[in-house]
Amino acid sequence: MCKFFAVSRSGYYDYIKRMDIPAKDLQLAKLIQECQAKCGKTYGYRRVHIWLERKEIHYNPKTILRVMQKYNLLSVVRRKKYRNYGEHLHRYPNLLNRDFKAERPNQKWVTDISYIKTAQGVLYLSIIRDLFDNSIVSYKTGTEQNVELVLSTIRAAKKKEKVTAELQLHSDQGFQYTSHQYFKLTQSYSITPSMSRRGNPYDNALAENFFSILKTECIYRAKLNTYEEARLLIGEYIHFYNNERIQLKTKLTPLEKRSQYVA
């Protein structure tokens, strides 16, 4: 039989000796299984590594990843699919560079998209925030996260505010902001695009910050059944935020700070 399978005698007997020995990865696999059971199988190997370290169980992260792959213990969180949105891809330098201070209105804007869950489905919210007074210059909602949602937000901001060539519009590297349509619109409005570095969410922290405030103070306190309910609630809150909500740093509302500059 050894000759038929081209296996050496010593190799065969060595295999026989190991048959009753438990797999060396089994103990680690059981620990990872326990971790994934507690987190609902949402942890990647890095978080599993931290979870084990807290229990003073030390393994190399690469070993953890290998065992997770071997025993089908990988996270089941849905990963983002690659989408090809055309051949045009525009990248811009990070002009903002985490300098979130603006000396006057319409000097530095930040923009981003977030999602609001309703019983009817997901509603996407696109905003532009002015770093001078932290006001929301414009916003748009839609049931699709597409380029037109972003373009309509910029058009609304341009219609409302006086835009000069010195205006920077900072975004992340989402496909909407690297699209040729975005490039053409910002060029036509003489807006200078700025873009976060890849994998650096803090570069656009002030846009993310507003979404956190909105969801904490408004969205999470309501049960939204329809898109229309969400739109009405978002509109009411942004009006309150711009006109009535006092900011701790300035002790003024965004409208009051903006009015002071105009005066």
Side-chain angles (χ1 to χ4, degrees):
M1 189 170 67
C2 288
K3 286 182 180 179
F4 180 80
F5 288 107
V7 175
S8 67
R9 281 174 164 275
S10 60
Y12 169 73
Y13 284 114
D14 186 52
Y15 170 75
I16 292 295
K17 288 178 183 178
R18 295 198 309 266
M19 284 184 66
D20 295 329
I21 300 174
K24 64 177 182 178
D25 295 330
L26 196 56
Q27 183 180 0
L28 176 56
K30 287 180 179 178
L31 289 168
I32 297 172
Q33 189 175 36
E34 179 188 346
C35 173
Q36 293 290 46
K38 289 186 176 180
C39 72
K41 215 171 182 181
T42 60
Y43 278 7
Y45 76 94
R46 294 182 183 87
R47 284 193 171 87
V48 172
H49 177 252
I50 295 170
W51 185 86
L52 291 170
E53 289 283 320
R54 288 184 176 184
K55 292 181 174 292
E56 298 185 354
I57 301 169
H58 307 291
Y59 282 94
N60 186 293
K62 291 183 179 179
T63 301
I64 294 170
L65 176 60
R66 178 179 59 77
V67 173
M68 290 174 72
Q69 291 171 333
K70 179 179 177 181
Y71 288 92
N72 193 27
L73 293 170
L74 294 171
S75 163
V76 295
V77 174
R78 185 176 63 185
R79 288 167 174 78
K80 291 182 179 178
K81 294 181 179 178
Y82 172 77
R83 295 181 175 89
N84 182 4
Y85 290 98
E87 59 184 17
H88 297 291
L89 192 67
H90 296 271
R91 305 287 189 189
Y92 309 98
N94 184 10
L95 301 176
L96 186 63
N97 198 26
R98 300 192 190 180
D99 180 7
F100 300 123
K101 292 182 180 178
E103 301 299 323
R104 58 186 180 279
N106 305 326
Q107 180 186 22
K108 296 177 182 179
W109 289 352
V110 293
T111 185
D112 203 356
I113 297 174
S114 188
Y115 64 90
I116 310 297
K117 290 183 179 179
T118 76
Q120 193 174 356
V122 174
L123 185 70
Y124 294 98
L125 170 64
S126 168
I127 60 102
I128 291 177
R129 192 183 197 188
D130 193 322
L131 296 186
F132 172 72
D133 55 9
N134 287 327
S135 65
I136 302 304
V137 178
S138 68
Y139 72 96
K140 290 291 180 180
T141 59
T143 55
E144 292 184 16
Q145 189 181 8
N146 53 26
V147 175
E148 183 54 38
L149 181 63
V150 167
L151 301 184
S152 62
T153 311
I154 298 173
R155 292 189 193 105
K158 174 67 167 59
K159 189 175 181 180
K160 179 183 174 186
E161 298 293 331
K162 184 178 180 181
V163 173
T164 66
E166 296 179 356
L167 172 63
Q168 292 179 11
L169 179 58
H170 186 84
S171 70
D172 61 22
Q173 293 194 25
F175 70 89
Q176 302 92 341
Y177 308 110
T178 61
S179 68
H180 192 58
Q181 297 98 310
Y182 182 85
F183 170 78
K184 286 176 63 178
L185 187 64
T186 53
Q187 289 287 301
S188 68
Y189 287 164
S190 298
I191 294 173
T192 304
S194 171
M195 187 166 276
S196 299
R197 293 163 294 175
R198 190 171 186 84
N200 283 272
Y202 294 112
D203 287 351
N204 203 21
L206 268 290
E208 295 284 351
N209 169 257
F210 172 74
F211 291 134
S212 177
I213 294 169
L214 169 70
K215 291 178 181 180
T216 302
E217 296 187 0
C218 178
I219 301 300
Y220 293 154
R221 299 173 64 186
K223 185 177 180 181
L224 300 172
N225 294 312
T226 65
Y227 296 135
E228 189 57 30
E229 286 181 11
R231 288 189 179 99
L232 288 172
L233 194 63
I234 290 166
E236 289 172 0
Y237 182 82
I238 289 178
H239 181 272
F240 163 76
Y241 176 86
N242 281 344
N243 297 278
E244 300 176 35
R245 187 179 183 274
I246 298 170
Q247 298 188 26
L248 294 177
K249 190 173 182 179
T250 63
K251 296 182 174 58
L252 300 170
T253 68
L255 177 63
E256 288 170 342
K257 184 173 180 180
R258 208 173 190 85
S259 298
Q260 281 186 357
Y261 181 86
V262 174

